Amino acid sequence: MSRHANTGRKLSRNTSHRKALLDNLVRAVILEESIRTTTPKAKEAKRVVERIITKAKNNTLAARRLVHQTVRDQAALAKLFETIGPRFKARPGGYTRLIHTSNRVGDNAPMSILELVEKSEKVEKPAEPEKKVAKADKAEGAPAAKEPAKEKKVQAPKASKPEEKKDEGEKKE
C-alpha cells in the first residue's frame, strides 16, 4: 500500500506519544524561542509552530481556545498571544528557522536548532547584568554578614549574664 495523503513523520512513536512530544516541543519553542533537537523532530515541530503562531495573530477567544488544544501551558499561551502574536502580525508566514548543526556524538543523529526568526531582545540582555551584580553583592555581602553574626554571638551571652547577676542580687537584698 502507498502512503497517499498521509502527511507527517511517525518518529518511531505511537500516536499519543507523538502528539505529546510535538506539544512539548511547541511549548518549548514558545517559551525559550530556540530549541536544539533532532532534525526530523524539528521539522515536524516547525509545521505545528507555524500554524499556532498564525492562529495567535488573531487575539480572539476562539483563536485562544484553538491554540489551547495544543499548548496546555498558561504561561506559554500568555506569551504567545501577548508578545509573539503581535510581533509577527505583519509577517505572512515563515516565523521559524531551522539551522542544521553537527551530528549528535552518541548516535550520530542529525541535530538542528529550531528558533523564531524575530527573537525578543529583552529576554537575554537584562538577565546577564543582574546575575553579575547578584554575584558581586553575594561576594561582598557574605563576609560582612558573617562578621556581625559573630559579634552578636559574643555580645549576647555577655549581656545576658550581667542581667542575671542583677536579678540574683536584687533577690538577695
Side-chain angles (χ1 to χ4, degrees), residues 24-113:
N24 288 330
L25 287 173
V26 168
R27 179 183 159 276
V29 169
I30 291 168
L31 291 176
E32 302 295 324
E33 299 189 7
S34 177
I35 61 168
R36 182 175 184 267
T37 184
T38 60
T39 302
K41 289 179 192 174
K43 287 180 178 178
E44 282 302 303
K46 181 177 182 170
R47 296 176 63 219
V48 181
V49 170
E50 297 273 343
R51 291 177 184 160
I52 285 180
I53 292 176
T54 301
K55 289 176 187 172
K57 286 166 44 174
N58 277 347
N59 194 2
T60 61
L61 181 61
R64 191 174 284 264
R65 286 179 175 168
L66 284 172
V67 171
H68 181 66
Q69 292 174 355
T70 303
V71 182
R72 291 291 186 161
D73 185 14
Q74 294 300 320
L77 270 177
K79 182 174 181 181
L80 185 63
F81 280 93
E82 292 170 9
T83 62
I84 296 174
R87 190 188 319 163
F88 292 115
K89 194 75 170 176
R91 185 181 286 267
Y95 314 113
T96 58
R97 110 175 20 108
L98 196 62
I99 302 168
H100 296 281
T101 60
S102 60
N103 291 354
R104 190 162 50 197
V105 174
D107 58 355
N108 206 30
M111 300 296 286
S112 294
I113 296 174

Side-chain angles (χ1 to χ4, degrees), residues 130-141:
E130 290 176 9
K131 289 180 182 178
K132 291 178 181 176
V133 172
K135 288 180 182 178
D137 290 343
K138 288 180 182 177
E140 293 172 2

Side-chain angles (χ1 to χ4, degrees), residues 4-15:
H4 296 299
N6 290 333
T7 59
R9 294 166 180 83
K10 291 195 174 185
L11 302 173
S12 301
R13 288 164 170 79
N14 61 25
T15 307

